Amino acid sequence: MADRPDVPTDGTEHTCAEQDDTVRILDSTEHRTAAGTAFLRFDGRVGEARFYAHAPLNRDGAPVAEADLAVLHFHGSGASRTNMDNREMCAFRDAALDRGWVLGAPSTGNAFGNPDALALGLAVLGWLRSEFTPAATVLHGYSMGGMAAYNASGRGLVPDLAGVVVVNGTVDSLASNSLPAIREAYGALDDAELLRLQAGFDPARDDPARWAGLPMFLSYSTGDAAVPAQRHGEVFMGRAATPECIVYRVGTNGHADVSGFRHPEVLDWIGSLPPLASR
């Protein structure tokens, strides 16, 4: 991975040409992974929304210029960009940085993969691309954020998409314990209006050919009271156009149990994807 000039961290505005959204980096702080890899955590803003980005440092102390991969993470309901630094995700974050990958984590609010959430995520991804020129992208969504990962991938919004990881992700809005919040996210007054407004953003009802051929790793649980596999993961798998492209794991863990994230297996799976396996 090549060196690059220091990334501006003094509030300089950067406009992502791909999305025409202004990204402002407010600050950056240096940290280390559990294995000792030095990295910068960038504190950024897109409009009024905030995000974190993480990038490993090379031996000269500058952020990497050409990352092998960008991972865009969508958080769960009631959470925020700090999800990437919490106990559920920090092991994944550290291992990804140890491998030379960069990560972005926007605070979408309780958006359930609506257009605003996707636009914010794509703006953050555009910044990651412009600064670290990753060879490919993987989307990672947890709980509510799983719906964002499904929608961004199904709508073909990430041209360099190598794969998608979803952990306990919402699929069927009408079967969700969070149905009132999903109605609010899409501006719907009732279920009929929600189905109309969510068309094109509905992994339970949109054409499954949208995800045909896309490598996916889905982790669900029958012991998850919030997003049970029976009402979400199995719904997506039951409609999949190319189930042979999907690694589907089902456990008995709770919704936020770290074991359900299957970090070691997921990391190895990402590393085996063609854009990375060939590097």
Side-chain angles (χ1 to χ4, degrees):
M1 292 178 289
D3 296 349
R4 65 173 304 282
D6 289 341
V7 176
T9 59
D10 57 355
T12 302
E13 290 191 350
H14 170 80
T15 298
C16 299
E18 296 175 35
Q19 299 300 326
D20 195 26
D21 287 320
T22 300
V23 174
R24 181 187 291 270
I25 300 301
L26 305 177
D27 193 12
S28 67
T29 53
E30 185 172 337
H31 306 268
R32 289 189 178 273
T33 69
T37 299
F39 69 93
L40 286 183
R41 186 182 73 182
F42 297 91
D43 179 1
R45 181 190 295 275
V46 180
E48 295 302 313
R50 301 293 289 273
F51 72 90
Y52 280 145
H54 303 75
L57 302 179
N58 59 32
R59 293 180 180 178
D60 295 330
V64 297
E66 297 178 0
D68 288 341
L69 182 74
V71 178
L72 182 65
H73 172 71
F74 290 101
H75 61 74
S77 178
S80 70
R81 61 188 178 151
T82 62
N83 199 166
M84 186 62 75
D85 297 327
N86 291 345
R87 70 177 185 89
E88 294 89 354
M89 284 297 297
C90 65
F92 177 89
R93 178 205 66 194
D94 281 5
L97 289 164
D98 291 340
R99 295 179 183 222
W101 304 347
V102 296
L103 306 101
S107 291
T108 65
N110 289 343
F112 287 90
N114 69 12
D116 289 343
L118 301 192
L120 173 58
L122 291 173
V124 173
L125 180 57
W127 184 80
L128 290 174
R129 284 175 174 154
S130 69
E131 298 297 337
F132 309 112
T133 57
T137 298
V138 164
L139 299 179
H140 189 292
Y142 165 61
S143 190
M144 173 192 76
M147 185 168 276
Y150 282 126
N151 289 344
S153 58
R155 294 181 68 83
L157 300 179
V158 184
D160 62 348
L161 185 62
V164 177
V165 177
V166 173
V167 178
N168 301 332
T170 305
V171 172
D172 189 346
S173 296
L174 297 189
S176 174
N177 295 347
S178 300
L179 178 56
I182 299 175
R183 285 186 193 142
E184 183 177 356
Y186 285 86
L189 297 177
D190 54 34
D191 291 351
E193 187 177 23
L194 174 61
L195 293 181
R196 179 178 63 81
L197 293 173
Q198 203 178 7
F201 297 84
D202 186 349
R205 296 167 184 83
D206 290 344
D207 184 355
R210 288 182 171 216
W211 296 274
L214 177 64
M216 306 183 82
F217 189 109
L218 311 182
S219 179
Y220 283 87
S221 172
T222 57
D224 183 346
V227 186
Q230 302 92 315
R231 287 191 271 146
H232 295 276
E234 292 178 16
V235 170
F236 190 86
M237 286 300 299
R239 303 175 67 246
T242 53
E244 67 274 13
C245 295
I246 303 174
V247 176
Y248 184 55
R249 298 286 186 260
V250 180
T252 58
N253 50 276
H255 186 62
D257 289 353
V258 174
S259 62
F261 285 78
R262 302 179 186 271
H263 291 317
E265 187 179 4
V266 166
L267 288 157
D268 287 346
W269 177 81
I270 293 174
S272 73
L273 294 172
L276 290 127
S278 62
R279 294 177 73 85

